Amino acid sequence: MPRTTRTGPAKSPELDHPTTLALLATMWRIRCFEERVARLSRSLLVHGLIHLSIGGEGVAAAVCRQLRDDDAVYSGHRAHGHALAKGAPMDRVMSELMGRSDGLCRGLGGSMHLVDREHGLLGATGVVGGNLPLAAGDALAAKLRGTDQVTVVFFGDGAVQGGYFHETVNLAALWELPLIFVCENNGFAEFTPRAAHTKVERVCDVVAPYDFERRTVDGSDVPALWSAFGEYLARARAADGSGRGGGRGPYLLECLTHRLRGHYEGDPQAYREALAEADWARLDPLARLQTDARRRGWLGEDEVRSIEEAARAEVEAAVRFARASPPAEPDATAGLVYARVGTQS
Amino acid sequence: MSTSNNPAELDDERLIWAFTQMLRIREFEERVKRTFEEHPGVIRGHTHLADGAEASIVGALATLRENDQLMCTYRCHGYPLVLGTDPRAMMAEIYGRTGGLCGGYGGSMHLVDPERGFMGTSGIVGQGIPQATGVAYAAQIRKRDQVVLCFFGDGASKQGAFSESLNIASLWKLPVVYVMENNSYNVITRVEQEDANAAAGEPLAVKAKAFSMPGVTVDGGDPIAVYEAVWAAVARAREGHGPTLVESKLYRLSAHGNIIAPPGVPLHFPEHEAVEVFGAAEEYEAAKRGDPVPRFRARLVTDGKLDAERADAIAAQVRDEMQAAVRYGLDSPFPEPADAVNHVYA
Amino acid sequence: MAHELPYIAAINEAIQLEMARDDSVLYFGQNLATTENDEFVRAFGHDRVRVTPIAETAEIGMAVGAALAGLRPVVELYMAEFMLVAMNQVVNEAPRFRYMSGGRVKVPLVLKAGYGFTAGWAGQHTGSIYGMFLGIPGLKVALPATAADAKGLMATAIRDDNPVCFLHHYLLTLEPGEVPDGEYLVPFGQAQIRRAGGDVTIVATGWMVGKALAAAASLAAEGIEAEVIDPRTLAPLDTTTILTSVQKTGHVVLVDQAPRHAAASALIAGEIAEHGFSTLKAPIRQVTGLDVTVPYSEPMEAFVLPDDTKIAAAVRQVLGTAPVPA
Ligand SMILES: Cc1ncc(C[n+]2csc(CCOP(=O)(O)OP(=O)(O)O)c2C)c(N)n1
Ligand SMILES: Cc1ncc(C[n+]2csc(CCOP(=O)(O)OP(=O)(O)O)c2C)c(N)n1
Ligand SMILES: [Mg+2]
Ligand SMILES: [Mg+2]
């Protein structure tokens, strides 16, 4: 069976003025949220293992802001940005991180297990790569139903050396699932550089044998991320010609990102040199997009400040909300171990 | 250490050796199969035969030196025969007797003979691959100039363990050669029904690309072609350049295994899945016509390396040897029941 | 109305009825539906009935994802041991997802696998590994012992909103039995009293139910009346039926094919010891597999497994009619 060429609009969407501002707002929300989480975790108000995505906000925003609520996103241990960008309410995410009863998952999941069904955040899993086959199953469901939903799975470069990745890629390719693999390749898995994990530097090369469409993009270049993802999304959504809808894929978008902070909050990072300021300015997706927008005259000094201030205000309100929320009740778990037949999830 | 870029030419004696080994495997497997009819109930459980894979097995193993090692799957009878394991002990194991290679604990799927470099098998698809990779890791750090051959099926290449292992072996440049015996079937599933590469018409050797490793495809019905391909891979591994994926295309001439039935129901080998499941009798007949054992014999005779008389004499000798294995197996006593509690811990 | 069916056909009947009733039910796994002749394919088509590669992690993980997306997959795994290569999905994803989401999602799926094929399949294909699934909150475990239960428990498993390990005993595959026609559901967590008796309570599952009944028949000839209870699901476990019986008999023999230290009988013994201690007239006895890998050779295989003779001997011991070995 020869590989089918995929049809559908191939034109890359470009970032316009309002979209740029919306993305900047999303990225600021994530940035401020995570900076605040870092402080809260030092004062132990947020507990457990916390992985921040500062440096990766561009990927979260450019991908999730193009999705609909009924498109499913699967994430991993570094999930805050994906959750916020996908539409999970910030106050409830904050409450979840603080283990409160108003948390997104009533305080039962925490940072690594954010789930918000209404906004299509189907789930984050703490076991590396555990989400990959889940996302493929979700895409299979969309395909079987003949809808035009597209599933996105975020994973790190560290997940690519796991067998589950290859098992999933084979099936996604064989069954042409409407699934977009979004790899955030930050060059590290925990404390080990990619070169210690594999000879294959680019994740795109790992899926080469399957020959589906894939691209490596600079993860701090938000316009590039936007158009690359947008193109794949449009094509994954396109009807497959069978007359009953149903998207088709898969695609892989490999985003080269820089993880500004340690692997987890508290990581002493003895394994790498601190980044020079100038280098960070070059790698920071937020600063880059903002500079770009100002150069185009889309943004003045005041507006920059007001976007940032709005984000900070939202974060502070979220913290207040979470603090006011009672801790998860010890008996909150009653009835949650098993679903009862007929319950609506 | 070999530094030549070409495999040593197989001299006449070596070619005849290869032919003899192929015959031994075929005869052994035939005897196993016949046991189901001639001695019902003697073989229990699940038995998988290597008929059709003889050329591939012998061609691959002809590249090995004394110290080298290998691991394989539940389809495991061929390799130890070539390495020199006593067929009588193998047959006794398959019959569940004390004289068995593993004392009757393992059976057909779980032969082991570490003294001869046969490090074992796994009955769980794909799981021998990381184990063989670990054997190669041991070989690398002990610097004993050993190479490890890792055999598995086409179906196993979809197991996560396959990908995890090939990545590490490539990264660490382990002295291992991955020999994928692609018989186009995983039980009753054809390879293009389950493999994205096969579905796209590509050889499965392309999977090597994902791990930055060479991948080659070879006619597994031709022992010399297999020898040459595996030889190059072994030489590369021995010189410290790391692993290779060799896809050996072959056809299994028997069904996947004997029928699955409750205790007491006599077992037998059904027809090949091509016929039984897919109604593709021509496919199976064509494979039969390409049977590597007579094909190699004819080639040796045509090339004047072997005359028909000697070929017949070898065949007669092999028949006697395997007949004796059956006899030995049947005569060997059953283990004491209470011996079941031995060997749980070292 | 009922009809006679082999155990395995009863399972298939349940899957087919559920697939016909609810088009969100899928059935996929290795080595099924490879031709158009497949009965499932003919009835439901390739979208809902699919052959997969040998990739248990992807198979089970995809079932979790499809379940999160609102479908009800049944994954055909053939042998319970094959789940072991995908333990993260079985243990750490499927059963925990709902809980950690605070109840926002559910994962209705069935992992269908055979177990206990002690017919010379040697160490890797004969295990009775359900014990390791019992300590996993969120996962349910059903072990049908008859064709009727096989049908009814499968239907219930498919309709259940949780991940269920549906473990059918390989040695029962062709065992015929009366199976109710049409829709038939066996509730989870309801043990079945297979034989009533007042002298001793025997609890057994799967293949062991038949062995326990055979032992009970031979004990009856000696004037001993055994009550044989089949829990049918181990998670949830119907302790009420067991404790009620123990209250009546005061004597307990627990039968389990698994190795002693991985046996569900140990868990049941714990429940009886805690909640029924005062009603016990003698120590509990467990008749289990030995703590060894199942050997290939027949005499050794028989030695490590429980059978009716061993069960009857244990009953005589708890009733004090036979000496207890030192
Ligand atoms: C199966 C598994 N192994 C190990 C871990 C521990 N662990 C947590 S995050 C991580 C690194 C993952 O690296 P990568 O996928 O590149 O994501 P990144 O942290 O760089 O975003 C590891 C090894 C785990 N959670 N799961
Ligand atoms: C993990 C696992 N899943 C399923 C099986 C059942 N099984 C035994 S052999 C086999 C086919 C394997 O096919 P392939 O790797 O091509 O080897 P072949 O038998 O063709 O030599 C399967 C599916 C198993 N033993 N282990
Ligand atoms: Mg990383
Ligand atoms: Mg095969």
Side-chain angles (χ1 to χ4, degrees):
Chain A
M1 186 170 57
R3 214 159 254 142
T4 45
T5 47
R6 296 178 180 87
T7 51
K11 199 170 126 27
S12 305
E14 298 227 346
L15 264 190
D16 58 16
H17 181 172
T19 315
T20 303
L21 297 193
L23 289 182
L24 275 173
T26 301
M27 291 166 70
W28 270 115
R29 291 176 69 234
I30 301 171
R31 175 73 52 92
C32 296
F33 178 87
E34 292 212 310
E35 287 176 352
R36 191 71 174 90
V37 167
R39 275 165 49 209
L40 288 167
S41 90
R42 284 198 291 278
S43 55
L44 298 181
L45 270 168
V46 160
H47 53 263
L49 200 53
I50 300 291
H51 307 84
L52 299 184
S53 65
I54 296 175
E57 299 92 338
V59 178
V63 169
C64 295
R65 297 311 301 166
Q66 300 193 63
L67 295 173
R68 306 188 309 228
D69 279 351
D70 67 345
D71 292 323
V73 158
Y74 285 79
S75 177
H77 55 284
R78 209 176 290 289
H80 306 157
H82 307 144
L84 293 175
K86 193 72 182 27
M90 187 187 284
D91 48 3
R92 303 208 46 209
V93 178
M94 188 62 91
S95 303
E96 185 62 29
L97 266 58
M98 287 167 66
R100 306 303 170 115
S101 53
D102 289 307
L104 206 52
C105 307
R106 305 196 215 171
L108 293 172
S111 166
M112 286 192 278
H113 304 289
L114 300 173
V115 177
D116 184 1
R117 195 190 187 101
E118 294 82 276
H119 295 99
L121 176 68
L122 251 296
T125 68
V127 177
V128 169
N131 56 356
L132 287 156
L134 268 58
D138 198 301
L140 173 66
K143 192 174 180 98
L144 295 184
R145 289 196 177 118
T147 68
D148 64 350
Q149 287 159 300
V150 173
T151 306
V152 170
V153 59
F154 289 103
F155 56 101
D157 48 305
V160 175
Q161 287 65 248
Y164 33 75
F165 177 73
H166 298 262
E167 293 190 12
T168 307
V169 163
N170 175 59
L171 271 173
L174 183 69
W175 295 353
E176 302 185 331
L177 299 179
L179 175 62
I180 305 180
F181 293 96
V182 179
C183 180
E184 295 178 88
N185 183 350
N186 59 16
F188 276 91
E190 291 191 320
F191 327 115
T192 2
R194 182 155 177 80
H197 287 273
T198 178
K199 266 170 78 172
V200 189
E201 192 184 346
R202 291 282 173 259
V203 174
C204 273
D205 293 335
V206 177
V207 304
Y210 298 94
D211 205 25
F212 53 79
E213 288 194 47
R214 56 198 184 274
R215 193 177 305 172
T216 304
V217 288
D218 175 350
S220 52
D221 181 348
V222 178
L225 289 166
W226 177 271
S227 67
F229 181 77
E231 181 192 331
Y232 286 171
L233 179 64
R235 294 163 69 181
R237 253 201 231 299
D240 67 356
S242 69
R244 29 152 246 161
R248 170 184 291 192
Y251 298 89
L252 166 68
L253 188 66
E254 176 183 21
C255 312
L256 304 179
T257 58
H258 179 77
R259 188 191 77 203
L260 184 70
R261 301 194 63 91
H263 170 62
Y264 64 96
E265 282 310 285
D267 175 2
Q269 299 193 65
Y271 53 88
R272 67 174 184 181
E273 297 291 327
L275 190 70
E277 289 258 336
D279 289 332
W280 172 234
R282 197 167 42 75
L283 293 167
D284 179 358
L286 217 181
R288 275 184 65 174
L289 185 62
Q290 203 156 270
T291 310
D292 195 44
R294 290 182 63 177
R295 217 187 38 238
R296 290 169 184 261
W298 289 350
L299 206 56
E301 187 68 44
D302 290 353
E303 283 148 300
V304 170
R305 205 168 314 119
S306 73
I307 294 177
E308 181 181 346
E309 274 164 11
R312 293 213 188 279
E314 189 188 355
V315 172
E316 289 316 313
V319 173
R320 277 195 303 279
F321 176 87
R323 280 185 195 269
S325 174
E329 289 293 330
D331 66 357
T333 60
L336 287 181
V337 176
Y338 294 101
R340 266 176 298 276
V341 178
T343 53
Q344 194 45 54
S345 62
Chain B
M1 190 167 130
S2 144
T3 46
S4 129
N5 289 324
N6 294 308
E9 180 94 5
L10 292 172
D11 63 23
D12 290 6
E13 279 316 300
R14 199 75 179 134
L15 289 170
I16 290 167
W17 170 87
F19 173 65
T20 309
Q21 297 311 314
M22 287 169 62
L23 271 186
R24 290 178 73 238
I25 299 174
R26 174 63 55 90
E27 186 68 23
F28 186 88
E29 299 293 50
E30 290 288 328
R31 297 280 171 171
V32 172
K33 207 170 179 176
R34 269 169 53 189
T35 302
F36 286 97
E37 289 146 32
E38 292 170 5
H39 308 284
V42 163
I43 303 181
R44 309 174 70 233
H46 212 197
T47 300
H48 310 77
L49 303 180
D51 46 343
E54 295 89 347
S56 182
I57 293 171
V58 174
L61 267 59
T63 64
L64 296 185
R65 296 194 201 147
E66 186 123 24
N67 261 339
D68 294 336
Q69 295 165 311
L70 66 86
M71 290 191 86
C72 67
T73 72
Y74 43 84
R75 201 179 294 289
C76 62
H77 305 163
Y79 318 89
L81 283 173
V82 181
L83 294 175
T85 303
D86 184 349
R88 292 180 306 170
M90 291 172 56
M91 200 62 89
E93 184 61 33
I94 294 168
Y95 294 176
R97 310 301 170 105
T98 37
L101 191 59
C102 306
Y105 288 82
S108 163
M109 289 193 270
H110 302 290
L111 303 179
V112 189
D113 194 359
E115 286 78 36
R116 293 186 174 75
F118 182 48
M119 305 307 285
T121 76
S122 177
I124 306 299
V125 171
Q127 306 310 304
I129 304 175
Q131 295 163 4
T133 307
V135 173
Y137 174 36
Q140 181 185 57
I141 61 178
R142 283 178 172 152
K143 301 190 172 44
R144 287 190 192 151
D145 203 21
Q146 290 161 301
V147 168
V148 179
L149 295 189
C150 170
F151 294 91
F152 52 92
D154 49 295
S157 66
K158 264 65 67 186
Q159 270 289 342
F162 164 82
S163 304
E164 296 185 2
S165 304
L166 268 66
N167 175 60
I168 293 178
S170 176
L171 181 68
W172 295 359
K173 293 190 170 28
L174 296 180
V176 52
V177 177
Y178 295 103
V179 184
M180 179 203 292
E181 295 172 327
N182 181 359
N183 58 18
S184 298
Y185 282 88
N186 140 23
V187 194
I188 60 164
T189 306
R190 291 187 198 257
V191 64
E192 66 278 7
Q193 293 179 304
E194 63 168 12
D195 186 293
N197 296 130
E202 294 155 353
L204 301 200
V206 299
K207 292 182 193 300
K209 264 203 235 172
F211 314 103
S212 193
M213 174 191 301
V216 296
T217 302
V218 65
D219 172 7
D222 177 352
I224 299 174
V226 174
Y227 169 76
E228 287 171 356
V230 175
W231 190 93
V234 165
R236 187 171 182 275
R238 225 187 275 289
E239 283 157 23
H241 301 311
T244 303
L245 174 62
V246 178
E247 176 194 13
S248 177
K249 298 264 291 177
L250 46 90
Y251 201 93
R252 104 174 118 60
L253 292 171
S254 291
H256 170 73
N258 57 271
I259 62 157
I260 300 175
V265 176
L267 303 176
H268 68 272
F269 264 78
E271 285 223 70
H272 191 279
E273 291 73 10
V275 181
E276 182 130 324
V277 181
F278 294 98
E282 353 46 88
E283 172 190 311
Y284 183 67
E285 290 311 321
K288 275 285 217 197
R289 285 194 297 277
D291 185 337
V293 178
R295 184 175 144 197
F296 191 47
R297 177 186 154 133
R299 174 164 164 190
L300 292 181
V301 172
T302 311
D303 291 354
K305 311 269 188 201
L306 179 68
D307 57 48
E309 223 163 278
R310 181 156 179 212
D312 291 342
I314 293 171
Q317 206 178 354
V318 166
R319 265 198 304 278
D320 289 348
E321 183 191 15
M322 299 311 166
Q323 175 60 35
V326 171
R327 216 20 329 118
Y328 177 88
L330 292 172
D331 291 346
S332 178
F334 281 102
E336 284 302 317
D339 284 346
V341 301
N342 298 342
H343 306 304
V344 176
Y345 297 99
Chain C
M1 283 297 287
H3 53 299
E4 197 181 90
L5 273 186
Y7 180 83
I8 193 72
I11 298 173
N12 287 341
E13 184 171 288
I15 299 174
Q16 293 192 353
L17 286 171
E18 291 304 304
M19 291 187 79
R21 173 182 169 271
D22 176 355
D23 64 13
S24 66
V25 180
L26 312 181
Y27 183 42
F28 60 77
Q30 295 163 31
N31 287 305
L32 52 81
T34 55
T35 67
E36 300 309 315
N37 282 333
D38 181 278
E39 53 175 333
F40 283 91
V41 173
R42 270 187 285 142
F44 306 109
H46 280 295
D47 271 0
R48 294 173 61 201
V49 183
R50 287 199 177 197
V51 63
T52 64
I54 313 169
E56 283 78 7
T57 299
E59 294 166 54
I60 299 174
M62 287 183 72
V64 176
L68 286 168
L71 300 179
R72 292 181 178 273
V74 177
V75 188
E76 176 62 71
L77 288 148
Y78 295 97
M79 290 199 164
E81 276 93 345
F82 305 157
M83 277 193 250
L84 297 176
V85 303
M87 277 310 249
N88 175 52
Q89 294 296 340
V90 178
V91 173
N92 224 4
E93 308 284 352
R96 308 214 200 277
F97 229 97
R98 168 185 165 73
Y99 184 83
M100 293 191 302
S101 77
R104 299 187 74 167
V105 294
K106 60 185 182 188
V107 183
L109 60 85
V110 181
L111 303 175
K112 170 182 177 290
Y115 75 99
F117 201 24
T118 42
W121 279 63
Q124 291 186 321
H125 292 80
T126 47
S128 299
I129 63 168
Y130 40 80
M132 64 175 71
F133 301 123
L134 301 182
I136 303 168
L139 198 58
K140 295 188 177 180
V141 181
L143 278 81
T146 65
D149 281 356
K151 174 173 175 178
L153 290 171
M154 175 53 90
T156 305
I158 293 173
R159 293 191 198 181
D160 198 287
D161 278 339
N162 299 283
V164 178
C165 286
F166 179 93
L167 302 173
H168 50 100
H169 201 292
Y170 254 112
L171 298 180
L172 293 171
T173 302
L174 301 178
E175 204 67 28
E178 284 289 303
V179 175
D181 292 343
E183 178 175 90
Y184 178 60
L185 295 158
V186 170
F188 280 10
Q190 273 186 26
Q192 175 94 326
I193 297 173
R194 299 270 174 218
R195 181 188 195 283
D199 297 329
V200 59
T201 302
I202 304 179
V203 183
T205 50
W207 174 242
M208 288 298 131
V209 173
K211 300 285 174 202
L213 288 170
S218 70
L219 289 163
E222 301 166 25
I224 298 170
E225 288 305 326
E227 182 144 295
V228 177
I229 298 178
D230 172 7
R232 305 198 286 190
T233 58
L234 288 174
L237 177 66
D238 177 3
T239 45
T240 310
T241 299
I242 297 171
L243 288 168
T244 306
S245 174
V246 175
Q247 211 159 24
K248 179 172 68 176
T249 65
H251 296 95
V252 184
V253 170
L254 304 172
V255 187
D256 198 315
Q257 189 176 333
R260 193 174 184 82
H261 290 169
S265 62
L267 193 142
I268 297 170
E271 294 290 335
I272 297 171
E274 186 165 346
H275 302 292
F277 190 74
S278 59
T279 63
L280 286 176
K281 297 179 187 139
I284 299 167
R285 273 209 56 132
Q286 297 181 60
V287 183
T288 67
L290 302 187
D291 278 320
V292 304
T293 294
V294 177
Y296 170 67
S297 183
E298 192 161 16
M300 294 198 290
E301 187 187 78
F303 182 79
V304 309
L305 296 172
D307 60 22
D308 34 344
T309 318
K310 292 173 190 170
I311 298 168
V315 168
R316 290 183 199 106
Q317 280 162 10
V318 295
L319 290 173
T321 61
V324 179

